[in-house]
Amino acid sequence: MREGDRRALARAITLVENGDPLAYELVREVYPETGSAYVVGVTGPPGVGKSSLIAALVRQIRAQDKSVGVISIDPSSPFTQGALLGDRIRLTEHFLDPEVFIRSMGTRGHLGGLAEATLQALLVLDAAGKDIVFVETVGTGQSEVEVIGIADTVLLVLMPGSGDSIQALKAGIMEIPDVIAVNKKDHPAAKTMLNEVRSILTLDKERAWKPPIVLTEAVTDEGVADLWAKVEGHRAFLDDGGLLDERRRKNLAREVFAVASARAKTHLERAVEHDPELRRLLDEVQQRELDPLTAVREIMEKVFHLPSGARLQPGSGLPDGDGNSTHTR
Ligand SMILES: Nc1nc2c(ncn2[C@@H]2O[C@H](COP(=O)(O)OP(=O)(O)OP(=O)(O)O)[C@@H](O)[C@H]2O)c(=O)[nH]1
Ligand SMILES: [Mg+2]
């Protein structure tokens, strides 16, 4: 796998995908060697052309003779099969290239959910020596944050008609990405979309990095070279300012926190599911025999062995306030 052997890599990712204990061992062993891949998170609403754009970007990157990994994270929707099939078709031209590794991935078997699976898969591709790794995930709001939160550069893809995303950006529900592509440039409303996005971003004058917006047509490669130049521009911005290390430190802290939280939640759900006494507490709340916070306290005591008097001080949490970033903004 370290030598970039495709079959070994494929097997490693399968272990990750299945939440196999061997994957855990594997990542633990290679972790000290990771950190050289540059990770680009690609997100946006369904069908905007994320996979098509990645395929086009991979062409750019291969022309620079760099190796690439692509993982599409599938939040296990009923559309999984279709999505997998779609990705396969859109990325076919790269399937025979030994320097390109492409994989769509589900996340069954992961106590820590999507964040955990994504993180592990990225680390595997990183250890295998990929220069650039793309993580694709569908999203219009917050749930994808934990998946692409690990990215060095976040690319948001929109198309004419992505009004919900515009609203989410405006309302501050969606974090401002580093680069935005307005894809399907061939669509008559593309320019309008571009202007809408532009007007939202001008509201935010505080930022040191102004997210560039690029009009693209993934299927003809139009604007794609420019888009890649913008991603590289963001990378240079991080590198020059010594910001990349800082960003990675924050991202990793947030991921660790996200995975730990997800595991705690899974643990809690399972405990309640399997413990008649805990389930009875919930019934008592419903019958108004027990108030909600007393039930919470009893559950916490029993499941996490937290002392009943435990009180959180305001502002407690991670040293940086990360993991609360959506609240503090
Ligand atoms: N007209 C036009 N169609 C495009 C363009 N880019 C992608 N498409 C088409 O849009 C459809 C969806 O493209 P995908 O690349 O699968 O989009 P996606 O965002 O990865 O979709 P999901 O992963 O299913 O959310 C496909 O039929 C593409 O051929 C473009 O620039 N112009
Ligand atoms: Mg896709």
Side-chain angles (χ1 to χ4, degrees), residues 17 22 24 30 34 49 58-59 67 86 90 108-109 120-121 130 164 178 202 208 245 256 263 271 273 282 320:
E17 184 171 42
L22 270 176
Y24 173 88
V30 298
T34 59
V58 168
R59 234 172 282 139
S67 60
R90 275 181 264 303
R108 55 211 139 110
Q120 297 283 92
K130 297 299 172 213
D164 290 352
D178 302 304
T202 50
D245 280 351
V256 167
R263 283 188 167 218
E273 192 183 324
L282 299 179
D320 267 328

Side-chain angles (χ1 to χ4, degrees), residues 45-52 90 136 138 183-184 186 217-219:
V48 292
K50 297 179 293 298
S51 301
S52 308
R90 275 181 264 303
E136 175 185 344
V138 175
N183 191 41
K184 309 206 183 181
D186 47 314
E217 188 178 345
V219 287

Side-chain angles (χ1 to χ4, degrees), residues 31-209:
Y31 186 67
E33 297 151 41
T34 59
S36 43
Y38 195 82
V39 181
V40 181
V42 181
T43 188
V48 292
K50 297 179 293 298
S51 301
S52 308
L53 264 184
I54 290 172
L57 289 170
V58 168
R59 234 172 282 139
Q60 297 288 323
I61 295 162
R62 290 299 296 131
Q64 299 173 352
D65 218 25
K66 288 179 178 159
S67 60
V68 197
V70 181
I71 336 169
S72 309
I73 299 296
D74 209 301
S76 308
S77 70
F79 308 113
T80 298
Q81 286 310 337
L84 295 186
L85 207 67
D87 286 342
R88 289 198 76 84
I89 293 164
R90 275 181 264 303
L91 292 159
T92 38
E93 63 168 287
H94 300 298
F95 270 93
L96 293 176
D97 183 340
E99 296 302 318
V100 180
F101 184 88
I102 296 164
R103 181 72 172 259
S104 294
M105 211 178 94
T107 58
R108 55 211 139 110
H110 281 269
L111 292 171
L114 291 172
E116 181 174 329
T118 311
L119 182 60
Q120 297 283 92
L122 273 180
L123 291 171
V124 163
L125 288 169
D126 190 334
K130 297 299 172 213
D131 298 310
I132 310 285
V133 179
F134 288 98
V135 185
E136 175 185 344
T137 182
V138 175
T140 45
Q142 278 204 300
S143 62
E144 71 277 14
V145 169
E146 60 172 26
V147 176
I148 52 159
I150 197 69
D152 298 317
T153 297
V154 173
L155 166 62
L156 173 67
V157 185
L158 301 172
M159 64 178 238
S162 300
D164 290 352
S165 301
I166 295 289
Q167 292 311 321
L169 278 173
K170 219 183 232 168
I173 298 167
M174 195 194 301
E175 289 208 34
I176 303 289
D178 302 304
V179 179
I180 300 179
V182 174
N183 191 41
K184 309 206 183 181
K185 183 183 180 210
D186 47 314
H187 191 288
K191 277 267 159 54
T192 315
M193 190 65 190
L194 179 76
N195 290 332
E196 272 183 67
V197 179
R198 208 168 261 161
S199 70
I200 288 172
L201 294 186
T202 50
L203 298 177
D204 194 349
K205 297 204 171 67
E206 307 273 285
R207 250 160 229 280
W209 172 256

